[in-house]
Structures are given as structure tokens and as C-alpha cells.
Amino acid sequence: MPLKYLHTMVRVKDLEKSMAFYELLGLKEIRRHDSEGGRFSLIFMAPPGQEEAPIELTWNWDGDDELPSDSRHFGHLAYEVDNIYEMCQHLMDNGVTINRPPRDGRMAFVRSPDNISIELLQAGEALAAAEPWASMENTGHW
């Protein structure tokens, strides 16, 4: 039987903060469903031109105190980027902590405002090692 990937859902506490984070990565809102009766919103975000592979942000209007503080029950989301150093600098310039810097020019990890681990992978071959990344220590965990 054929199988088709639809989306990955993550629950968020602060919708505006979470959407701003994913927008920093380059994702755009592609559709939304607000449920008055269920008191929740589903916001689907995807990279431009890749609407078939969205992330679904689920936001409960009345809060969600059951979210764990460290979301390690969920592995990570992974996105390929054209230049990992430029993306990490862009994220840092906007207040995002680089938990695992791209010391190898290939891979980095950051966390969303809801502690979702995000893996960033360099498209193609790894970039040559460069500062400040090559000597930057890990911060927290990913």
C-alpha cells in the first residue's frame, strides 16, 4: 500500500513566539484552521515551494500546562540550508541560542521556543571550518 508523508505536529505554548522562530528559519504560514468549539488553532508552515512537507503548530487557546519542559520524547525536525554559517548567524542575531554549533561546517542544532530540537544540515558538501563556529562550545543540549 502506498504511503504519503503529510506533516509533523508540534504543540506550542506561545503561538506568536513559535511562529516567529519558524519564520526565522524561512518557513511561511500556508494554511490555518481555528476551532471555536475545540478552542485550538492549527497553523501549517513550510518552506516556500515545499508546501507538501509542512510542520503543524498546534496551539490550545486556554494554555497547555501538560507540555514537558524538555520535549526529549520527540526527536528533532531537520532542515537543509544553503549556508549553515549564515543561517546560524541569522538565528543568533535574532536571539536564538545555537545549542550545537556547526563546528564541522555540516550540522548544527537549535531549539524552538517550545524546546523542539531543530537540526540544520548544510546542503551538499560541508563548508570549510570557520570561526567563531570551529571553537564554539555546545550550549545546553539538543
Side-chain angles (χ1 to χ4, degrees):
M1 290 195 286
L3 181 71
K4 179 182 176 184
Y5 172 81
L6 295 178
H7 63 267
T8 298
M9 182 277 266
V10 294
R11 206 169 257 107
V12 301
K13 285 188 178 189
D14 184 325
L15 182 59
E16 288 182 23
K17 191 182 279 187
S18 293
M19 287 182 70
F21 171 81
Y22 290 104
E23 287 168 356
L24 285 173
L25 290 175
L27 280 67
K28 303 292 181 204
E29 181 177 334
I30 58 171
R31 68 183 182 277
R32 175 187 293 247
H33 171 75
D34 295 315
S35 173
E36 291 284 336
R39 301 194 48 74
F40 66 87
S41 294
L42 307 178
I43 294 85
F44 293 84
M45 300 182 76
Q50 297 177 52
E51 289 77 15
E52 74 285 358
I55 180 173
E56 172 193 324
L57 305 181
T58 298
W59 177 59
N60 293 313
W61 298 355
D62 300 319
D64 199 341
D65 294 332
E66 298 303 314
L67 281 176
S69 62
D70 183 11
S71 298
R72 292 305 293 168
H73 62 284
F74 178 84
H76 63 266
L77 301 173
Y79 292 100
E80 183 177 82
V81 299
D82 287 337
N83 185 304
I84 197 159
Y85 297 144
E86 288 178 7
M87 175 58 81
C88 287
Q89 188 63 57
H90 168 67
L91 293 171
M92 280 181 48
D93 290 348
N94 284 279
V96 175
T97 299
I98 308 300
N99 299 104
R100 193 279 192 193
R103 290 183 292 273
D104 54 5
R106 173 87 182 125
M107 177 181 66
F109 277 87
V110 298
R111 286 194 172 242
S112 77
D114 300 288
N115 277 322
I116 301 298
S117 187
I118 311 291
E119 179 181 23
L120 304 171
L121 293 168
Q122 173 63 41
E125 298 296 317
L127 300 181
E131 293 299 340
W133 315 107
S135 59
M136 189 179 287
E137 297 291 325
N138 292 342
T139 301
H141 60 279
W142 59 90

mmCIF file of all heavy atoms in Angstrom, residues 73-102:
data_model
loop_
_atom_site.group_PDB
_atom_site.id
_atom_site.type_symbol
_atom_site.label_atom_id
_atom_site.label_comp_id
_atom_site.label_asym_id
_atom_site.label_seq_id
_atom_site.Cartn_x
_atom_site.Cartn_y
_atom_site.Cartn_z
ATOM 1 N N HIS A 73 11.013 13.578 24.373
ATOM 2 C CA HIS A 73 10.224 12.463 23.864
ATOM 3 C C HIS A 73 10.085 12.558 22.348
ATOM 4 O O HIS A 73 9.731 11.602 21.689
ATOM 5 C CB HIS A 73 8.843 12.444 24.518
ATOM 6 C CG HIS A 73 8.039 13.669 24.235
ATOM 7 N ND1 HIS A 73 8.287 14.868 24.857
ATOM 8 C CD2 HIS A 73 7.032 13.894 23.367
ATOM 9 C CE1 HIS A 73 7.444 15.776 24.394
ATOM 10 N NE2 HIS A 73 6.680 15.212 23.487
ATOM 11 N N PHE A 74 10.372 13.726 21.805
ATOM 12 C CA PHE A 74 10.323 13.976 20.364
ATOM 13 C C PHE A 74 11.755 14.109 19.893
ATOM 14 O O PHE A 74 12.558 14.774 20.542
ATOM 15 C CB PHE A 74 9.548 15.281 20.123
ATOM 16 C CG PHE A 74 9.465 15.673 18.678
ATOM 17 C CD1 PHE A 74 8.499 15.139 17.856
ATOM 18 C CD2 PHE A 74 10.371 16.571 18.148
ATOM 19 C CE1 PHE A 74 8.412 15.498 16.524
ATOM 20 C CE2 PHE A 74 10.303 16.940 16.823
ATOM 21 C CZ PHE A 74 9.315 16.403 16.009
ATOM 22 N N GLY A 75 12.120 13.482 18.800
ATOM 23 C CA GLY A 75 13.492 13.551 18.309
ATOM 24 C C GLY A 75 13.860 14.955 17.850
ATOM 25 O O GLY A 75 14.267 15.784 18.648
ATOM 26 N N HIS A 76 13.703 15.242 16.570
ATOM 27 C CA HIS A 76 14.001 16.576 16.055
ATOM 28 C C HIS A 76 13.389 16.748 14.676
ATOM 29 O O HIS A 76 13.021 15.770 14.025
ATOM 30 C CB HIS A 76 15.516 16.828 16.012
ATOM 31 C CG HIS A 76 16.254 15.920 15.082
ATOM 32 N ND1 HIS A 76 16.845 14.753 15.500
ATOM 33 C CD2 HIS A 76 16.497 16.001 13.752
ATOM 34 C CE1 HIS A 76 17.422 14.157 14.474
ATOM 35 N NE2 HIS A 76 17.225 14.892 13.399
ATOM 36 N N LEU A 77 13.303 17.985 14.259
ATOM 37 C CA LEU A 77 12.976 18.341 12.885
ATOM 38 C C LEU A 77 14.294 18.645 12.202
ATOM 39 O O LEU A 77 15.205 19.178 12.841
ATOM 40 C CB LEU A 77 12.079 19.580 12.834
ATOM 41 C CG LEU A 77 10.738 19.486 13.549
ATOM 42 C CD1 LEU A 77 10.054 20.851 13.544
ATOM 43 C CD2 LEU A 77 9.861 18.455 12.878
ATOM 44 N N ALA A 78 14.421 18.334 10.932
ATOM 45 C CA ALA A 78 15.663 18.605 10.206
ATOM 46 C C ALA A 78 15.360 19.415 8.950
ATOM 47 O O ALA A 78 14.412 19.115 8.225
ATOM 48 C CB ALA A 78 16.361 17.307 9.840
ATOM 49 N N TYR A 79 16.189 20.447 8.730
ATOM 50 C CA TYR A 79 16.070 21.285 7.544
ATOM 51 C C TYR A 79 17.443 21.447 6.911
ATOM 52 O O TYR A 79 18.437 21.662 7.606
ATOM 53 C CB TYR A 79 15.519 22.677 7.896
ATOM 54 C CG TYR A 79 14.087 22.638 8.344
ATOM 55 C CD1 TYR A 79 13.767 22.684 9.690
ATOM 56 C CD2 TYR A 79 13.058 22.550 7.416
ATOM 57 C CE1 TYR A 79 12.444 22.650 10.110
ATOM 58 C CE2 TYR A 79 11.734 22.515 7.832
ATOM 59 C CZ TYR A 79 11.437 22.560 9.169
ATOM 60 O OH TYR A 79 10.129 22.521 9.593
ATOM 61 N N GLU A 80 17.487 21.348 5.581
ATOM 62 C CA GLU A 80 18.709 21.601 4.835
ATOM 63 C C GLU A 80 18.788 23.088 4.537
ATOM 64 O O GLU A 80 17.780 23.716 4.207
ATOM 65 C CB GLU A 80 18.661 20.811 3.520
ATOM 66 C CG GLU A 80 19.890 20.933 2.679
ATOM 67 C CD GLU A 80 19.778 20.072 1.438
ATOM 68 O OE1 GLU A 80 19.133 20.516 0.448
ATOM 69 O OE2 GLU A 80 20.320 18.950 1.455
ATOM 70 N N VAL A 81 19.984 23.669 4.662
ATOM 71 C CA VAL A 81 20.183 25.095 4.416
ATOM 72 C C VAL A 81 21.302 25.301 3.405
ATOM 73 O O VAL A 81 22.210 24.471 3.293
ATOM 74 C CB VAL A 81 20.493 25.860 5.726
ATOM 75 C CG1 VAL A 81 19.328 25.740 6.709
ATOM 76 C CG2 VAL A 81 21.770 25.369 6.377
ATOM 77 N N ASP A 82 21.238 26.409 2.672
ATOM 78 C CA ASP A 82 22.251 26.690 1.652
ATOM 79 C C ASP A 82 23.605 27.035 2.263
ATOM 80 O O ASP A 82 24.643 26.703 1.693
ATOM 81 C CB ASP A 82 21.798 27.842 0.755
ATOM 82 C CG ASP A 82 20.681 27.432 -0.188
ATOM 83 O OD1 ASP A 82 20.541 26.229 -0.482
ATOM 84 O OD2 ASP A 82 19.925 28.323 -0.625
ATOM 85 N N ASN A 83 23.592 27.742 3.395
ATOM 86 C CA ASN A 83 24.842 28.101 4.057
ATOM 87 C C ASN A 83 24.603 28.045 5.569
ATOM 88 O O ASN A 83 23.948 28.921 6.133
ATOM 89 C CB ASN A 83 25.304 29.498 3.641
ATOM 90 C CG ASN A 83 26.657 29.841 4.231
ATOM 91 O OD1 ASN A 83 26.858 29.800 5.438
ATOM 92 N ND2 ASN A 83 27.598 30.201 3.364
ATOM 93 N N ILE A 84 25.132 27.030 6.195
ATOM 94 C CA ILE A 84 24.859 26.798 7.617
ATOM 95 C C ILE A 84 25.411 27.916 8.486
ATOM 96 O O ILE A 84 24.807 28.277 9.496
ATOM 97 C CB ILE A 84 25.371 25.413 8.055
ATOM 98 C CG1 ILE A 84 24.703 25.032 9.386
ATOM 99 C CG2 ILE A 84 26.890 25.351 8.096
ATOM 100 C CD1 ILE A 84 24.708 23.565 9.671
ATOM 101 N N TYR A 85 26.542 28.501 8.103
ATOM 102 C CA TYR A 85 27.106 29.595 8.896
ATOM 103 C C TYR A 85 26.208 30.833 8.833
ATOM 104 O O TYR A 85 25.968 31.482 9.846
ATOM 105 C CB TYR A 85 28.511 29.947 8.427
ATOM 106 C CG TYR A 85 29.521 28.829 8.593
ATOM 107 C CD1 TYR A 85 30.525 28.645 7.654
ATOM 108 C CD2 TYR A 85 29.492 27.972 9.684
ATOM 109 C CE1 TYR A 85 31.470 27.639 7.800
ATOM 110 C CE2 TYR A 85 30.424 26.960 9.834
ATOM 111 C CZ TYR A 85 31.417 26.795 8.887
ATOM 112 O OH TYR A 85 32.343 25.799 9.036
ATOM 113 N N GLU A 86 25.724 31.158 7.646
ATOM 114 C CA GLU A 86 24.848 32.318 7.506
ATOM 115 C C GLU A 86 23.544 32.109 8.271
ATOM 116 O O GLU A 86 23.052 33.036 8.925
ATOM 117 C CB GLU A 86 24.565 32.596 6.031
ATOM 118 C CG GLU A 86 25.748 33.162 5.285
ATOM 119 C CD GLU A 86 25.464 33.379 3.809
ATOM 120 O OE1 GLU A 86 24.295 33.219 3.367
ATOM 121 O OE2 GLU A 86 26.417 33.702 3.075
ATOM 122 N N MET A 87 22.979 30.898 8.194
ATOM 123 C CA MET A 87 21.732 30.626 8.916
ATOM 124 C C MET A 87 21.945 30.729 10.426
ATOM 125 O O MET A 87 21.148 31.351 11.133
ATOM 126 C CB MET A 87 21.176 29.251 8.556
ATOM 127 C CG MET A 87 19.945 28.861 9.376
ATOM 128 S SD MET A 87 18.539 30.005 9.244
ATOM 129 C CE MET A 87 17.836 29.472 7.702
ATOM 130 N N CYS A 88 23.020 30.144 10.923
ATOM 131 C CA CYS A 88 23.285 30.205 12.369
ATOM 132 C C CYS A 88 23.524 31.639 12.818
ATOM 133 O O CYS A 88 23.042 32.044 13.885
ATOM 134 C CB CYS A 88 24.448 29.302 12.742
ATOM 135 S SG CYS A 88 24.021 27.539 12.685
ATOM 136 N N GLN A 89 24.228 32.429 12.018
ATOM 137 C CA GLN A 89 24.451 33.832 12.372
ATOM 138 C C GLN A 89 23.129 34.590 12.389
ATOM 139 O O GLN A 89 22.864 35.383 13.290
ATOM 140 C CB GLN A 89 25.437 34.489 11.400
ATOM 141 C CG GLN A 89 25.848 35.879 11.835
ATOM 142 C CD GLN A 89 26.605 35.870 13.163
ATOM 143 O OE1 GLN A 89 27.617 35.203 13.301
ATOM 144 N NE2 GLN A 89 26.088 36.606 14.143
ATOM 145 N N HIS A 90 22.292 34.342 11.392
ATOM 146 C CA HIS A 90 20.969 34.972 11.321
ATOM 147 C C HIS A 90 20.149 34.632 12.567
ATOM 148 O O HIS A 90 19.528 35.509 13.170
ATOM 149 C CB HIS A 90 20.253 34.490 10.053
ATOM 150 C CG HIS A 90 18.807 34.819 9.979
ATOM 151 N ND1 HIS A 90 18.324 36.109 9.860
ATOM 152 C CD2 HIS A 90 17.716 34.008 10.030
ATOM 153 C CE1 HIS A 90 17.003 36.078 9.824
ATOM 154 N NE2 HIS A 90 16.606 34.820 9.931
ATOM 155 N N LEU A 91 20.162 33.373 12.961
ATOM 156 C CA LEU A 91 19.410 32.961 14.149
ATOM 157 C C LEU A 91 19.982 33.617 15.404
ATOM 158 O O LEU A 91 19.234 34.151 16.226
ATOM 159 C CB LEU A 91 19.409 31.435 14.280
ATOM 160 C CG LEU A 91 18.637 30.695 13.182
ATOM 161 C CD1 LEU A 91 18.881 29.189 13.287
ATOM 162 C CD2 LEU A 91 17.161 31.015 13.227
ATOM 163 N N MET A 92 21.307 33.603 15.552
ATOM 164 C CA MET A 92 21.937 34.237 16.714
ATOM 165 C C MET A 92 21.616 35.731 16.764
ATOM 166 O O MET A 92 21.326 36.265 17.840
ATOM 167 C CB MET A 92 23.456 34.043 16.695
ATOM 168 C CG MET A 92 23.897 32.691 17.194
ATOM 169 S SD MET A 92 25.697 32.459 17.192
ATOM 170 C CE MET A 92 26.303 33.930 17.967
ATOM 171 N N ASP A 93 21.672 36.397 15.625
ATOM 172 C CA ASP A 93 21.377 37.829 15.565
ATOM 173 C C ASP A 93 19.950 38.133 16.016
ATOM 174 O O ASP A 93 19.637 39.266 16.379
ATOM 175 C CB ASP A 93 21.588 38.373 14.147
ATOM 176 C CG ASP A 93 23.055 38.416 13.740
ATOM 177 O OD1 ASP A 93 23.939 38.252 14.615
ATOM 178 O OD2 ASP A 93 23.313 38.597 12.524
ATOM 179 N N ASN A 94 19.097 37.113 15.972
ATOM 180 C CA ASN A 94 17.705 37.269 16.374
ATOM 181 C C ASN A 94 17.406 36.590 17.704
ATOM 182 O O ASN A 94 16.258 36.267 18.007
ATOM 183 C CB ASN A 94 16.781 36.748 15.271
ATOM 184 C CG ASN A 94 16.697 37.731 14.125
ATOM 185 O OD1 ASN A 94 15.962 38.701 14.183
ATOM 186 N ND2 ASN A 94 17.515 37.503 13.099
ATOM 187 N N GLY A 95 18.454 36.354 18.497
ATOM 188 C CA GLY A 95 18.271 35.874 19.861
ATOM 189 C C GLY A 95 18.140 34.381 20.043
ATOM 190 O O GLY A 95 17.809 33.920 21.136
ATOM 191 N N VAL A 96 18.396 33.583 19.007
ATOM 192 C CA VAL A 96 18.300 32.127 19.119
ATOM 193 C C VAL A 96 19.643 31.564 19.565
ATOM 194 O O VAL A 96 20.689 31.912 19.001
ATOM 195 C CB VAL A 96 17.870 31.488 17.776
ATOM 196 C CG1 VAL A 96 17.884 29.965 17.858
ATOM 197 C CG2 VAL A 96 16.497 32.004 17.356
ATOM 198 N N THR A 97 19.628 30.701 20.565
ATOM 199 C CA THR A 97 20.845 30.043 21.042
ATOM 200 C C THR A 97 21.207 28.905 20.099
ATOM 201 O O THR A 97 20.351 28.088 19.752
ATOM 202 C CB THR A 97 20.626 29.476 22.466
ATOM 203 O OG1 THR A 97 20.316 30.565 23.334
ATOM 204 C CG2 THR A 97 21.846 28.733 22.968
ATOM 205 N N ILE A 98 22.464 28.847 19.707
ATOM 206 C CA ILE A 98 22.955 27.730 18.897
ATOM 207 C C ILE A 98 23.434 26.672 19.892
ATOM 208 O O ILE A 98 24.497 26.814 20.485
ATOM 209 C CB ILE A 98 24.100 28.170 17.947
ATOM 210 C CG1 ILE A 98 23.685 29.389 17.113
ATOM 211 C CG2 ILE A 98 24.529 27.001 17.065
ATOM 212 C CD1 ILE A 98 22.477 29.214 16.224
ATOM 213 N N ASN A 99 22.646 25.631 20.083
ATOM 214 C CA ASN A 99 22.980 24.617 21.077
ATOM 215 C C ASN A 99 24.167 23.760 20.653
ATOM 216 O O ASN A 99 25.028 23.437 21.471
ATOM 217 C CB ASN A 99 21.777 23.705 21.345
ATOM 218 C CG ASN A 99 20.612 24.485 21.892
ATOM 219 O OD1 ASN A 99 19.658 24.753 21.179
ATOM 220 N ND2 ASN A 99 20.689 24.880 23.143
ATOM 221 N N ARG A 100 24.194 23.397 19.399
ATOM 222 C CA ARG A 100 25.320 22.623 18.854
ATOM 223 C C ARG A 100 25.798 23.412 17.632
ATOM 224 O O ARG A 100 25.175 23.380 16.571
ATOM 225 C CB ARG A 100 24.854 21.224 18.460
ATOM 226 C CG ARG A 100 25.970 20.222 18.176
ATOM 227 C CD ARG A 100 26.531 20.376 16.801
ATOM 228 N NE ARG A 100 27.387 19.253 16.434
ATOM 229 C CZ ARG A 100 28.191 19.255 15.399
ATOM 230 N NH1 ARG A 100 28.277 20.317 14.620
ATOM 231 N NH2 ARG A 100 28.931 18.218 15.121
ATOM 232 N N PRO A 101 26.880 24.172 17.789
ATOM 233 C CA PRO A 101 27.380 24.985 16.676
ATOM 234 C C PRO A 101 27.868 24.121 15.507
ATOM 235 O O PRO A 101 28.261 22.969 15.704
ATOM 236 C CB PRO A 101 28.547 25.755 17.289
ATOM 237 C CG PRO A 101 28.341 25.670 18.762
ATOM 238 C CD PRO A 101 27.652 24.364 19.009
ATOM 239 N N PRO A 102 27.893 24.681 14.307
ATOM 240 C CA PRO A 102 28.329 23.931 13.128
ATOM 241 C C PRO A 102 29.860 23.883 13.018
ATOM 242 O O PRO A 102 30.439 24.324 12.016
ATOM 243 C CB PRO A 102 27.701 24.724 11.977
ATOM 244 C CG PRO A 102 27.678 26.130 12.479
ATOM 245 C CD PRO A 102 27.388 26.019 13.955
#
